[in-house]
Amino acid sequence: PGRRYAASGSGSSYDVAIVGGGVMGSSIALHLSEMAGRRLRVAVIERDATYEWASAPRSAGGIRQQFSLPVNIQLSLYGIEFLKTGLKDLCAGLDVDTDVQFRENGYLILASPGAGEKSLRENVATQHACGATWISLMSSDELRNRFPWISTDGIALGAFGERNEGYFDPWALLQSLRKAAGARGVEYIGQEVVGLSRATGVNISSV
């Protein structure tokens, strides 16, 4: 691809300029750099180099496959594999700690009788169809036996992720992604993007 000029104080040319260096931006940068190698010049422009106001440090870090739309379920299926093995594979040969403290505690979704119960059954059927077959439906009696500290009054049904659901440390994930991307040649620029310039068509000539 032709070079794109990132006019953000760097005075350098890049093939790809990513605005925002949080989990999403750093993940994109790492994936691109791993696929294309150093022949693709990638810049990540992040206005808050300390990440004081970033969402990652404020996130609970939960991951689940219990969604109603297949696209969200499929994204989470990729996400869990990335947390378990994908990040480690992308960081192979790099001095990067990939332990993001993932804990498979599961998610428990509860439903009331009637429409809530019907919706939960439909959602779990969709999850199973997408491959998340570890989501178990539990009656109120089963819930009471397994989670005796939960009041099941007014609860008709529950759905529990037996595995591949839980929480992780988002800050650790961000640091792993950023360090790995940097090790693969991605340049992080501590500036704020205030505008884009377009040369012809859809091509961006400067940032």
Side-chain angles (χ1 to χ4, degrees):
R3 295 291 187 207
R4 303 290 183 262
Y5 179 69
S8 57
S10 68
S12 300
S13 296
Y14 302 94
D15 298 303
V16 179
I18 300 169
V19 181
V23 167
M24 296 299 293
S26 294
S27 177
I28 292 169
L30 177 57
H31 279 80
L32 284 174
S33 61
E34 192 276 335
M35 288 187 296
R38 292 182 181 269
R39 63 184 176 83
L40 189 72
R41 292 202 64 194
V42 180
V44 177
I45 306 170
E46 171 56 54
R47 65 180 179 180
D48 177 20
T50 66
Y51 294 95
E52 179 181 0
W53 305 106
S55 60
R58 293 168 167 76
S59 171
I63 184 168
R64 58 188 168 94
Q65 292 79 51
Q66 295 193 60
F67 294 100
S68 58
L69 297 179
V71 64
N72 289 334
I73 300 167
Q74 290 158 0
L75 283 170
S76 187
L77 288 172
Y78 175 80
I80 191 61
E81 288 304 314
F82 183 78
L83 290 180
K84 284 186 167 183
T85 62
L87 179 60
K88 184 177 181 179
D89 291 342
L90 282 176
C91 296
L94 304 177
D95 182 21
V96 176
D97 183 1
T98 59
D99 182 6
V100 296
Q101 302 294 310
F102 175 55
R103 299 292 182 266
E104 288 183 273
N105 289 351
Y107 262 71
L108 177 63
I109 309 295
L110 303 175
S112 57
E117 179 181 0
K118 179 176 180 294
S119 178
L120 188 59
R121 290 187 184 279
E122 292 172 349
N123 290 346
V124 171
T126 301
Q127 293 150 19
H128 284 189
C130 289
T133 55
W134 47 85
I135 311 299
S136 301
L137 282 173
M138 307 175 72
S139 67
S140 58
D141 287 340
E142 290 172 321
L143 287 168
R144 192 179 304 111
N145 290 333
R146 185 158 181 179
F147 308 104
W149 59 89
I150 294 178
S151 173
T152 56
D153 292 346
I155 300 299
L157 195 67
F160 182 66
E162 302 287 350
R163 55 189 175 90
N164 291 328
E165 294 191 331
Y167 65 91
F168 60 95
D169 183 348
W171 180 249
L173 175 61
L174 174 58
Q175 295 306 305
S176 297
L177 293 169
R178 181 183 167 96
K179 187 174 182 180
R184 291 195 178 278
V186 173
E187 294 184 45
Y188 278 78
I189 300 171
Q191 297 285 344
E192 181 176 4
V193 172
V194 295
L196 305 174
S197 296
R198 179 176 295 175
T200 57
V202 297
N203 293 329
I204 300 299
S205 60
S206 64
V207 178

